[in-house]
Amino acid sequence: MAVFDDMADEMVNFKVPDFTVVVPARYGSTRLPGKPLLEIAGEPMVAHVWRRACQSHASRVVVATDDSRIRDAMLPYGAEVIMTRDDHPSGTDRLAEVADILALTDDALLVNVQGDEPLIPPALIDQVALRLADDPEASIATLAEPINDVDTLFNPNVVKVVRTLQGRALYFSRAPIPWDREQFKAPPSMLATDAWLRHIGLYAYRAGFLAAYRDWPASSLEQLEQLEQLRALQNGHAIQVALACEVNPAGVDTAEDLARIRALLA
């Protein structure tokens, strides 16, 4: 917990940058159809996400959806809802459309909070916006946390990231990077150092970057790893990666995840 405690200390007196939170909420889901509207503690999942985003220091929080059922569910909460196209290949492309609709300047900051993160700490939303504001040469900021067990490190569903000494991303991968040449000759029983970081899928973007991103073809690395952020790295854009100031609870990807969060919030 020492890493999180240190990061929390740094966040106590931060200067709040001006930023907008966008919560993309797509109705279609292969594993959990209608996922944003699945009920948790008597409310749709996306309402929990929206409320936590409103607890951050964002100047504006909008829900971006391609489905009128999600819009109709959120309007009674007083949420600002933006209808987007239903043919976006990724959430980043949907965010670019939102930036256009809001007529944001190129320097405007947007934080993308996924609609299946009902337990996301508001402090992490503030932190990722602050990290991008503090590095004017970066196009994106995101977060990571230490990996402490071997199973997580070798799990291809867990995205790993390695950073420069200045906190910028060198690479993201589903593989266990960095590779310990000596210790990984045979499967290790434990990790000897804190060199491994798990990527947390919370992003802050500059609006001008989003406009450029959607015009680029999918990059070779992005297609191999199935990781959108590699398109930015392969096109030469800097990504800041901060160590999360709080533990980030897992989101909802499966029915088991949904049951776990329903029990926590019951």
Side-chain angles (χ1 to χ4, degrees):
M1 291 298 294
V3 171
F4 295 108
D5 291 341
D6 291 345
M7 293 299 105
D9 290 342
E10 292 181 11
M11 290 290 291
V12 170
N13 296 311
F14 70 92
K15 183 176 183 289
V16 182
D18 184 59
F19 67 96
T20 298
V21 169
V22 180
V23 181
R26 189 173 62 88
Y27 190 86
S29 172
T30 303
R31 286 181 287 190
L32 290 173
K35 182 161 64 169
L37 296 182
L38 294 176
E39 183 180 299
I40 299 175
E43 295 184 312
M45 183 189 310
V46 66
H48 290 272
V49 181
W50 171 80
R51 186 176 292 112
R52 286 181 173 262
C54 289
Q55 292 169 4
S56 74
H57 287 85
S59 57
R60 190 174 190 178
V61 178
V62 300
V63 175
T65 184
D66 58 3
D67 196 285
S68 59
R69 288 167 289 189
I70 295 173
R71 177 198 62 199
D72 294 344
M74 290 306 298
L75 289 178
Y77 288 91
E80 180 180 1
V81 181
I82 292 178
M83 297 300 296
T84 60
R85 302 200 319 268
D86 61 2
D87 60 348
H88 288 300
S90 71
T92 309
D93 293 282
R94 190 179 307 281
L95 208 66
E97 184 187 359
V98 172
D100 285 346
I101 292 171
L102 297 179
L104 298 177
T105 64
D106 286 350
D107 291 334
L109 306 186
L110 294 89
V111 176
N112 184 0
V113 178
Q114 295 297 331
D116 57 4
E117 298 279 351
L119 300 179
I120 188 167
L124 296 188
I125 300 172
D126 291 333
Q127 184 185 12
V128 75
L130 177 65
R131 177 50 63 99
L132 185 56
D134 282 347
D135 187 349
E137 295 181 356
S139 299
I140 307 173
T142 189
L143 302 177
E145 61 187 5
I147 295 175
N148 298 312
D149 65 278
V150 173
D151 288 343
T152 298
L153 179 63
F154 281 80
N155 183 347
N157 295 316
V158 174
V159 178
K160 277 68 70 171
V161 59
V162 290
R163 310 184 301 165
T164 68
L165 294 176
Q166 293 73 37
R168 289 186 175 179
L170 287 169
Y171 192 66
F172 297 85
S173 182
R174 298 184 183 278
I177 58 172
W179 184 264
D180 189 326
R181 188 182 69 172
E182 300 302 322
Q183 298 298 318
F184 290 179
K185 290 178 181 178
S189 59
M190 61 181 294
L191 298 178
T193 74
D194 59 358
W196 293 277
L197 295 176
R198 173 181 187 152
H199 177 229
I200 297 172
L202 176 66
Y203 293 97
Y205 300 95
R206 299 188 192 280
F209 164 81
L210 291 169
Y213 177 93
R214 66 181 169 190
D215 292 333
W216 300 332
S219 73
S220 57
L221 294 176
E222 173 189 6
Q223 292 174 314
L224 284 171
E225 297 261 19
Q226 291 297 296
L227 297 174
E228 292 177 39
Q229 62 270 39
L230 292 177
R231 191 188 313 183
L233 286 184
Q234 208 162 5
N235 278 278
H237 284 256
I239 301 176
Q240 269 289 347
V241 184
L243 294 179
C245 63
E246 290 187 22
V247 175
N248 184 49
V252 177
D253 289 321
T254 65
E256 291 74 18
D257 294 335
L258 180 63
R260 171 179 52 81
I261 290 180
R262 279 174 169 167
L264 284 171
L265 297 181

